[in-house]
Amino acid sequence: MQFKHPELLYALFLLIIPILIHLFQLRRFQKVEFTNVKFLKAVKLQTRKSSQLKKWLTLLTRMLLLACAIIAFAQPFIPNTEDFNDTQETVIYLDNSFSMQAQGSNGSLLNEAIQDIINTFPEDEKISLFTNEATYRNTSVKALKKDLIELSYSPTQLNYEAAYLKGKQLFSNNGSATKNLLMVSDFQQKDNPLNFENDSLVNLNLVQPKSNLVSNISIDSAYISKTTPETLDITTVLSNPFEPEDNVTVSLFNGDDLLAKSAVSIEDKAKTVFTIPNTSVNGKIVIDDASLQYDNTFYFNINEKPKIKVLSINGNAEDAFLKRIYTDDEFEFKSFKLESLNFNVIPDQNFIILNEIDNISNALISALNSFKSNGGHILIIPSKEVNLNSYNQTFANSLISNYSSISNNEKRITSINYDHPLLANAFYSKVTNFQYPKVGMSYVFASKSNSVLAYEDGASFLMGNDNMYAFSSPLNSDNSNFKNSQLIVPVLYNMGLQSLQLSKLYYTIGDRNTIAVNVSLGQDDILTLSNTENSIIPLQKTYSKSVAIETGDFPETAGIYDVKNKEVLLEHLSFNYNRKESKLFYNDLSDIENVNSDSSLANTINTIKSSSNVNALWKWFVIFALAFLIIEMLILKYLK
């Protein structure tokens, strides 16, 4: 038997007080003489024995009453388990990603979990809790209650293995403590199978609340499928991997104005097309679906896009192939012979191509370096007779290695680096059966790093990254047939597009995006992203004629944002949540070894608490004290 307040047992020394009182208050019997001495003597002896028994019984009951009362206040108990005396530490991972919007038996899965935490844990019990965005260490449910009730859904989710590792880090270094980690999530299926490294020091409990949803329709994406001078066709892609749905209403708004509405039937995937005027649009596509709410709205915007300025500085090569790629609908293409070049036009460009120049003068190198430092992009196509020293000076302070030697062997271009940023989203699939272009003579780069296209011997044909690229061979028809290859258009077109990262139809929250805004800022000016609810200052790089905005985890809320320089509106940007949470396919936790799993958080908490439960005995000692009080009263009343 153990005591919750053992210090109160010192009060048992007070039991000596009634003993002293009884000893000093014992009455002496006085003798009274009578004529019948024999009869009186018998009565006298009987009375003295009865009186002494009554006093000793009264003393005993009072001492037992007082002892029971003292022990009751000390709160005795018997522990249920052997490890009761171990310190209990509890850490909870609460998944607040969008998939936790799914409805359970008592509201959303997230709200069910929050109510179980609030109602099951004692208010003053110390716990640590973390979500996908916030961490609360060594706090209590009482202190957390307001934050839990106001907890919102997160557009990002921790990887399950990362959440497991983070949870273990929140425990103390007390090696004797019993450590319980509770992970509360719907445990959606991800790219990798669910697996947790076994740790004998941590009791891992997985709680997977069950959803009542049997389907979920989401707006996956939107794109411009057709353009005319007067109209645009916006194609919306809907997804429903469950049972087919008929007559799903899809509405298109420009701001708060309804532009169009349609009804579609969805079996796995479906598309609907809206034709709208070819003007600036702050678009919002909305569907009626009672399941997950975050994927029922999709934002996009169409801004007036400036043309990307491309300048070709030509040696003896023709530039007709460049004019066919950089067309007037998206680009402002200019072409000059080197000897007639006006250097004043260089700073105004976005993309400069050195097209088979034999020698790059020091003045041009200086102008190109200044152009590159202000965010400009450069492509170098060498001639057959280059001044290697001037070219290598141009490559200095870039990610392109020097030309080290010349090769006169014919080579085929056979390798494509699909992971290179230049070719991101340039191909639907990896091309393996294309006709390999070839070159006659070529220059050999000193290094093979940052290669985009390569020869069959592994040497680089096209090298570069960031804002500078270089071919290793002239592209004229006498030396190469690359201009007739299917590779030239996506390669050169993407170089032009990436030289000015104009705003897209929409962006995804959580992805790394770079957006160029055509504006010249003052020394202390900054751009802001804002709407009616939020305002943020994104990461930004200021150049002489533009500002590059970088977004990732911010903004956190989907919507259409204004890009402003102070109070001046420059353009609009649309951000949407990633749709990966829309797929309601879950892991089977019964397949995971060395973990405890349940669908109820309340049951899991009660199971953990049961290891620290006790059989409280204080009520019995209160009952004993009352019983001794009654016994004392009966002794005083009936024992003569």
Side-chain angles (χ1 to χ4, degrees):
M1 185 171 66
Q2 301 183 37
F3 296 89
K4 186 175 181 180
H5 303 291
E7 65 276 5
L8 295 181
L9 296 179
Y10 287 110
L12 291 175
F13 288 111
L14 298 177
L15 294 178
I16 196 172
I17 296 176
I19 295 176
L20 295 176
I21 292 175
H22 277 71
L23 290 176
F24 286 105
Q25 286 190 348
L26 289 176
R27 295 181 180 179
R28 295 183 178 274
F29 286 89
Q30 295 181 358
K31 294 182 180 181
V32 179
E33 295 183 356
F34 284 90
T35 56
N36 194 342
V37 177
K38 183 179 179 180
F39 173 76
L40 290 177
K41 184 177 181 180
V43 173
K44 174 181 174 183
L45 291 173
Q46 182 180 4
T47 303
R48 176 177 295 179
K49 291 179 180 179
S50 299
S51 177
Q52 288 180 347
L53 177 62
K54 180 178 179 180
K55 290 177 181 179
W56 286 112
L57 288 176
T58 302
L59 174 62
L60 178 62
T61 54
R62 287 176 179 175
M63 291 179 64
L64 290 174
L65 186 156
L66 183 59
C68 288
I70 293 172
I71 294 173
F73 279 107
Q75 296 190 26
F77 62 86
I78 298 176
N80 286 332
T81 58
E82 295 181 357
D83 59 352
F84 169 79
N85 289 324
D86 293 345
T87 303
Q88 296 279 336
E89 294 185 21
T90 302
V91 175
I92 302 174
Y93 164 61
L94 182 58
D95 179 10
N96 61 327
S97 60
F98 282 119
S99 62
M100 295 290 282
Q101 286 181 341
Q103 295 298 305
S105 57
N106 296 306
S108 70
L109 300 183
L110 179 61
N111 287 336
E112 281 185 352
I114 290 174
Q115 291 304 315
D116 284 344
I117 293 173
I118 293 175
N119 297 331
T120 311
F121 275 111
E123 283 194 342
D124 57 349
E125 182 168 341
K126 290 294 182 181
I127 63 171
S128 295
L129 183 144
F130 66 102
T131 66
N132 293 315
E133 297 173 328
T135 302
Y136 308 91
R137 189 165 190 169
N138 292 330
T139 184
S140 65
V141 173
K142 183 177 182 180
L144 275 177
K145 189 172 183 179
K146 184 174 183 294
D147 292 318
L148 289 175
I149 293 174
E150 296 177 353
L151 183 63
S152 59
Y153 295 96
S154 167
T156 58
Q157 182 185 19
L158 289 174
N159 176 280
Y160 295 128
E161 287 75 15
Y164 175 56
L165 294 175
K166 181 175 181 179
K168 292 200 296 183
Q169 292 174 355
L170 294 179
F171 289 111
S172 70
N173 295 324
N174 185 354
S176 62
T178 301
K179 300 174 180 179
N180 301 299
L181 174 58
L182 281 68
M183 296 183 64
V184 186
S185 174
D186 55 359
F187 293 100
Q188 282 187 306
Q189 293 180 3
K190 304 295 183 182
D191 296 333
N192 299 319
L194 194 61
N195 183 41
F196 298 99
E197 182 181 351
N198 186 31
D199 189 337
S200 60
L201 299 179
V202 176
N203 299 323
L204 178 58
N205 298 270
L206 305 183
V207 180
Q208 186 181 40
K210 299 301 182 181
S211 166
N212 296 330
L213 292 184
V214 294
S215 67
N216 179 57
I217 302 172
S218 66
I219 306 175
D220 277 2
S221 60
Y223 59 91
I224 300 175
S225 54
K226 183 180 179 181
T227 304
T228 68
E230 293 79 23
T231 61
L232 294 172
D233 283 356
I234 302 293
T235 298
T236 304
V237 181
L238 307 177
S239 175
N240 176 30
F242 304 96
E243 293 295 324
E245 294 281 347
D246 296 326
N247 298 321
V248 177
T249 302
V250 186
S251 303
L252 173 63
F253 294 84
N254 180 16
D256 295 327
D257 300 328
L258 179 64
L259 295 183
K261 180 180 287 189
S262 67
V264 297
S265 297
I266 308 176
E267 183 176 355
D268 191 26
K269 293 281 186 180
K271 296 181 180 180
T272 183
V273 180
F274 296 105
T275 301
I276 61 175
N278 191 354
T279 59
S280 297
V281 175
N282 292 326
K284 180 175 67 173
I285 304 170
V286 180
I287 61 173
D288 292 331
D289 180 46
S291 51
L292 299 184
Q293 299 300 302
Y294 87 99
D295 55 10
N296 290 350
T297 304
F298 196 91
Y299 299 94
F300 71 93
N301 65 274
I302 300 173
N303 295 312
E304 293 183 3
K305 294 185 178 180
K307 293 183 178 181
I308 300 173
K309 297 179 180 180
V310 180
L311 172 64
S312 176
I313 305 174
N314 304 317
N316 296 321
E318 54 87 21
D319 60 3
F321 73 102
L322 296 175
K323 293 178 182 178
R324 290 194 296 269
I325 295 173
Y326 301 116
T327 54
D328 292 340
D329 57 336
E330 294 181 271
F331 300 93
E332 183 182 318
F333 182 79
K334 293 181 180 180
S335 179
F336 294 95
K337 285 288 187 178
L338 177 59
E339 55 269 17
S340 61
L341 174 64
N342 181 358
F343 278 42
N344 291 328
V345 303
I346 290 179
D348 296 329
Q349 307 306 307
N350 302 116
F351 185 37
I352 293 177
I353 303 172
L354 302 185
N355 186 18
E356 300 194 24
I357 297 173
D358 292 338
N359 181 61
I360 306 174
S361 66
N362 290 332
L364 182 56
I365 292 175
S366 177
L368 291 176
N369 287 336
S370 176
F371 169 75
K372 187 159 65 75
S373 65
N374 281 309
H377 287 228
I378 300 171
L379 169 64
I380 296 176
I381 305 173
S383 68
K384 282 189 174 182
E385 299 178 355
V386 303
N387 182 325
L388 289 179
N389 184 54
S390 68
Y391 269 72
N392 290 337
Q393 285 186 43
T394 308
F395 294 153
N397 301 320
S398 72
L399 298 176
I400 300 176
S401 59
N402 294 342
Y403 289 148
S404 61
S405 60
I406 300 174
S407 172
N408 292 313
N409 298 325
E410 184 178 285
K411 297 180 180 181
R412 293 190 305 167
I413 304 164
T414 60
S415 178
I416 303 173
N417 182 3
Y418 293 97
D419 296 327
H420 196 282
L422 178 64
L423 301 181
N425 303 317
F427 301 96
Y428 291 109
S429 61
K430 292 186 177 181
V431 182
T432 57
N433 58 350
F434 65 94
Q435 185 176 359
Y436 299 131
K438 60 184 179 179
V439 302
M441 67 80 59
S442 61
Y443 300 95
V444 180
F445 288 108
S447 170
K448 297 180 181 180
S449 60
N450 298 311
S451 179
V452 182
L453 303 174
Y455 300 112
E456 53 194 339
D457 63 357
S460 295
F461 169 66
L462 173 61
M463 174 181 288
N465 209 337
D466 196 15
N467 59 352
M468 192 169 184
Y469 294 90
F471 285 99
S472 66
S473 169
L475 301 186
N476 63 73
S477 301
D478 296 334
N479 185 68
S480 172
N481 63 350
F482 182 73
K483 289 192 294 186
N484 301 324
S485 167
Q486 59 186 345
L487 296 176
I488 190 170
V489 173
V491 168
L492 295 187
Y493 180 74
N494 275 7
M495 286 184 189
L497 285 184
Q498 293 182 11
S499 66
L500 183 63
Q501 298 281 358
L502 297 175
S503 60
K504 300 178 183 178
L505 199 64
Y506 63 90
Y507 296 91
T508 301
I509 294 175
D511 292 349
R512 298 296 173 185
N513 305 299
T514 300
I515 309 159
V517 181
N518 277 340
V519 63
S520 296
L521 296 182
Q523 183 176 359
D524 298 324
D525 290 342
I526 56 173
L527 299 185
T528 60
L529 291 177
S530 63
N531 60 12
T532 56
E533 299 177 354
N534 302 286
S535 180
I536 64 170
I537 299 175
L539 294 175
Q540 50 197 276
K541 295 180 181 178
T542 303
Y543 301 106
S544 60
K545 56 183 180 298
S546 66
V547 177
I549 293 176
E550 297 181 2
T551 66
D553 295 331
F554 295 95
E556 296 180 325
T557 307
I560 298 177
Y561 287 77
D562 299 333
V563 182
K564 290 183 176 181
N565 176 20
K566 297 179 181 177
E567 297 302 320
V568 179
L569 177 63
L570 302 176
E571 60 178 292
H572 301 282
L573 299 176
S574 293
F575 293 88
N576 293 294
Y577 297 121
N578 194 305
R579 265 32 184 187
K580 62 184 178 182
E581 294 283 317
S582 299
K583 300 176 182 179
L584 304 182
F585 299 105
Y586 307 108
N587 285 290
D588 185 359
L589 301 186
S590 62
D591 297 336
I592 305 176
E593 299 178 352
N594 303 317
V595 300
N596 303 313
S597 62
D598 202 323
S599 61
S600 170
L601 178 57
N603 290 344
T604 303
I605 296 173
N606 288 328
T607 300
I608 293 174
K609 289 171 59 179
S610 66
S611 65
S612 60
N613 286 347
V614 297
N615 293 322
L617 303 178
W618 65 270
K619 294 180 181 178
W620 288 104
F621 282 91
V622 171
I623 294 173
F624 293 151
L626 292 175
F628 288 126
L629 177 63
I630 294 172
I631 292 172
E632 179 185 354
M633 295 173 63
L634 293 174
I635 290 174
L636 293 175
K637 184 174 182 179
Y638 294 105
L639 186 61
K640 301 299 183 179

